Amino acid sequence: MNLSRRFSIQQSTRGANVQQHVFSAPQSWQQRLNAQLMLLAFCVITLAVLFSSPVFANQLPDYADLVEEQSAAVVRITALAPVTPASAQAPDSFSQRDDIPELFKRYFDQMPNQPGTPRRGNGFGSGFIVSDDGYVVTNAHVVDGAETIRVSLHDKREFDATLIGADERTDVALLKIDAENLPQVELGDSDEIRVGQWVLAIGSPFGFEYTATQGIVSAVSRHLRGDSYVPFIQTDAAVNPGNSGGPLFDAEGRVIGVNSQIYTRSGGFMGLSFAIPVNVVKDITDQLKSQGYASYGWLGVMIQDLDAALAESFGLDRPSGALVAQVTDDSPAQDAGLQSGDIILTFAGKTVEKSSDLPSLVGATRPGKTANIEIVRMGERLTVPVTIRELDPQGQLQKTNTKKSTAPSLLGLQTEKLSADELAQLNIDNGVRARNVERDGPAAKAGIQAGDIIVSINQIDADSPTQLDSIVQELPRDQSLPVLVLRNSAPQFIAMTIPKA
């Protein structure tokens, strides 16, 4: 083959034949070198253009400076619980628990945990400093039941902390240490979070201090079972036990959330982490600082989601909004004229896409404020003003400087009396409705849910919240008791144990 032969293609342009040479075999080493240099220059320019584009520039963030700058404001929380009675200890060791990774079991094997030996319980978590005079934010469950709370700083200083207040509904707690000129974080705006943006978590998983993990925002406004007042941020940043209460940063170093929960079947990280939005944290900590507890707005409706069939029956083109199943007597909703069958589309100008959106919107509304609610009633759109009242102000869980909490009841729940009409609709003679089931309380551990009707406990009829409390006071402790509940109009028995303490 003649190497000097030229290859060409024919291209038709506006009827004219144009011959274009696409390759010529080089005839000398100078020509070959020039061709290679041109190819190399082309590759360099192409790569420079690609990696300078926003798409590639945002793929691999460098968090080294952020971690170095912000770690000083992240703290480790040690919660010291009262001495555990010998009779309350389980005979098995920590190393026999399935939720502890094999890597760490050997460390627990070295800890004294013999039956009959009293031992002080320690809880560990994370937190972050929000003011230079020593206010610290963490999770309520990190300091729950603590007799002494100790805060460890990045510079190895340690302080005993005072619990200013804790709110179990949002799992937010505010501490105060006696120090000045402390480093502090910058709080961002969680309403501006976008799915897919990069985030960074710093905390003390399994006690390993100042551990940084990165990920992206997987979803926003996640409503978890039992946490209707928090629209969680879901991320895939690795969060494990000990990260609770630690900050979730955006790429600019601003705190956008507080790491609170994980979804797990093993006790460790499985790719689903949930953080409390910082805007919720700001509101709650302001209330804890000013009054020692958090108050919530109350509307007074029982709601449910709409499916396609229900939406069609109500004349909607798609299932959206919160369907009012029942209006509570003597409630703001009743005063405003809301009715069963109304579909709430917006609350205070914010869209209610599904029923789980409404509680957090109402809860964040200050008692006494009037909000406009857009509803659909009999196919007609209406705007109804409603004045929000405070949710169970008498039963509000509070934690103050005394470091003691007033639980809703020995069962760990609050109840409300049923009206005669409600009893007739449910076709029962007696019962009380469960409200605000306290996490980790006896009722929650038994499986009782908010909205359940408690008909009897230990075969004693429950007629009112006061009478139920009287019954509970006389019930035996540390033994299984039958509780008859009505859930979705279906009766069932649930076994529940009330602990001695």
Side-chain angles (χ1 to χ4, degrees), residues 235-253:
T235 78
D236 65 352
V239 171
N240 283 288
N243 274 112
S244 292
L248 183 72
F249 294 96
D250 63 14
E252 283 71 42

Side-chain angles (χ1 to χ4, degrees), residues 234-275:
Q234 179 185 328
T235 78
D236 65 352
V239 171
N240 283 288
N243 274 112
S244 292
L248 183 72
F249 294 96
D250 63 14
E252 283 71 42
R254 298 169 300 210
V255 174
I256 58 173
V258 178
N259 298 308
S260 175
Q261 300 187 37
I262 60 174
Y263 174 84
T264 180
R265 294 179 179 175
S266 64
F269 174 69
M270 294 184 66
L272 297 175
S273 305
F274 299 93

Side-chain angles (χ1 to χ4, degrees), residues 134-270:
Y135 282 98
V136 177
V137 171
T138 186
N139 282 149
H141 76 261
V142 170
V143 297
D144 184 37
E147 186 177 67
T148 303
I149 303 170
R150 188 165 298 150
V151 173
S152 303
L153 274 58
H154 189 266
D155 59 11
K156 306 304 180 182
R157 287 185 294 169
E158 292 190 357
F159 298 88
D160 285 339
T162 300
L163 177 61
I164 301 302
D167 179 60
E168 291 193 3
R169 284 194 176 99
T170 55
D171 197 22
V172 173
L174 183 65
L175 312 177
K176 179 68 168 65
I177 61 176
D178 187 12
E180 297 179 349
N181 300 320
L182 295 173
Q184 65 186 78
V185 298
E186 178 185 355
L187 302 181
D189 184 355
S190 52
D191 288 342
E192 297 182 354
I193 295 174
R194 300 175 61 196
V195 175
Q197 76 176 67
W198 288 97
V199 290
L200 176 82
I202 302 179
S204 303
F206 297 108
F208 293 104
E209 300 178 3
Y210 304 106
T211 299
T213 54
Q214 73 165 17
I216 63 167
V217 174
S218 305
V220 294
S221 297
R222 285 285 196 226
H223 292 276
L224 307 181
R225 182 176 177 179
D227 290 285
S228 59
Y229 289 95
V230 179
F232 283 97
I233 305 166
Q234 179 185 328
T235 78
D236 65 352
V239 171
N240 283 288
N243 274 112
S244 292
L248 183 72
F249 294 96
D250 63 14
E252 283 71 42
R254 298 169 300 210
V255 174
I256 58 173
V258 178
N259 298 308
S260 175
Q261 300 187 37
I262 60 174
Y263 174 84
T264 180
R265 294 179 179 175
S266 64
F269 174 69
M270 294 184 66

